[in-house]
Amino acid sequence: MKFTLPKLDYAYDALEPYIDAKTMELHHGKHHQAYLDKFNAVLEKNPQLKYDRAEELLMNLNKLEVSEDDRKVLKNHGGGFVNHAFFWKLMGPEKEVDNDLAAEIKKTFGSVDDFKTKFNSAAVGHFGSGWVWLVRDENKELKIYSLPNQDSPLTLGHQPVFCNDLWEHAYYLKYQNRRAEYIENWWNVLKLL
Ligand code: MN3
């Protein structure tokens, strides 16, 4: 069981001016690759783990028969691998709005604008590194929350709908300490909404 770095569906500069090419190049080519390499190394050490999809490892993280050290690597680097692979697919230079999702968001949060305000505030308020998530919980209801580091909603039994990366490596070259500005601009490259 060995995973490879997924190719992007767009060029590194395709998300300009909201996300700059240099950030994309480092984020995909270096950060994502580094998560992948450590993930593959721990999988190699644990041939008893037989899953076709990396997501399944995160769903079953707490019951995997591995050492606690290896479980931590799977959580951090397996999480990093899966989260980034998911994140690249959410973004693009062209909108592909999901009208069903937009309708559900209106129903749950009042309006798309109210929803974005809540999502932004969870993102800005998150302390340290992590991700902000829109998920479906165990009752299929939409929920917004942030999680630290590379923790995945899959491990909580929730289905990710979309997410934004709050690690400084995702925005620091262009936005420096202005996380709120990055989060606001990021809606321009999210395809779904
Ligand atoms: Mn990242």
Side-chain angles (χ1 to χ4, degrees):
M1 188 171 158
K2 203 167 154 69
F3 293 96
T4 54
L5 192 70
K7 284 207 169 67
L8 300 185
D9 300 329
Y10 42 84
Y12 284 142
D13 64 359
L15 307 181
E16 295 263 11
Y18 308 110
I19 301 181
D20 60 291
K22 192 73 200 161
T23 294
M24 286 301 297
E25 187 186 337
L26 289 168
H27 201 175
H28 176 255
K30 303 289 182 206
H31 291 279
H32 198 183
Q33 183 70 52
Y35 291 117
L36 171 63
D37 292 344
K38 289 191 176 127
F39 182 38
N40 275 333
V42 79
L43 292 174
E44 207 162 312
K45 264 177 70 190
N46 290 278
Q48 78 280 13
L49 297 175
K50 289 190 173 65
Y51 290 92
D52 294 331
R53 296 169 55 240
E55 288 82 356
E56 291 173 62
L57 280 160
L58 298 178
M59 287 178 202
N60 294 293
L61 184 69
N62 296 319
K63 356 178 229 211
L64 299 176
E65 286 175 27
V66 291
S67 72
E68 288 315 306
D69 283 351
D70 285 353
R71 194 185 315 280
K72 209 173 283 174
V73 178
L74 288 164
K75 178 180 179 172
N76 291 334
H77 297 279
F81 172 68
V82 167
N83 291 345
H84 287 89
F86 182 65
F87 185 53
W88 308 136
K89 288 188 173 301
L90 298 170
M91 302 188 292
E94 306 284 343
K95 288 276 179 188
E96 292 169 29
V97 173
D98 180 337
N99 291 315
D100 291 343
L101 176 63
E104 202 183 337
I105 283 175
K106 274 181 208 153
K107 212 172 125 203
T108 310
F109 298 97
S111 72
V112 170
D113 282 346
D114 287 345
F115 161 74
K116 284 186 180 176
T117 302
K118 285 202 177 86
F119 190 92
N120 288 352
S121 130
V124 172
H126 181 84
F127 181 75
S129 297
W131 294 73
V132 58
W133 295 91
L134 175 68
V135 302
R136 278 180 218 289
D137 69 7
E138 48 280 275
N139 302 315
K140 308 271 181 231
E141 282 172 26
L142 292 175
K143 289 270 150 63
I144 298 167
Y145 54 69
S146 67
L147 292 176
N149 306 315
Q150 298 294 346
D151 292 10
S152 169
L154 293 170
T155 308
L156 305 173
H158 297 169
Q159 196 56 43
V161 179
F162 62 71
C163 54
N164 193 3
D165 190 341
L166 305 176
W167 286 61
E168 286 185 346
H169 67 226
Y171 63 88
Y172 206 84
L173 286 183
K174 182 177 171 71
Y175 295 96
Q176 288 86 47
N177 60 325
R178 305 186 306 278
R179 185 192 271 186
E181 196 183 320
Y182 155 69
I183 288 160
E184 190 60 47
N185 278 342
W186 175 77
W187 295 107
N188 292 292
V189 295
L190 175 70
K191 288 192 289 188
L192 300 175
L193 212 58

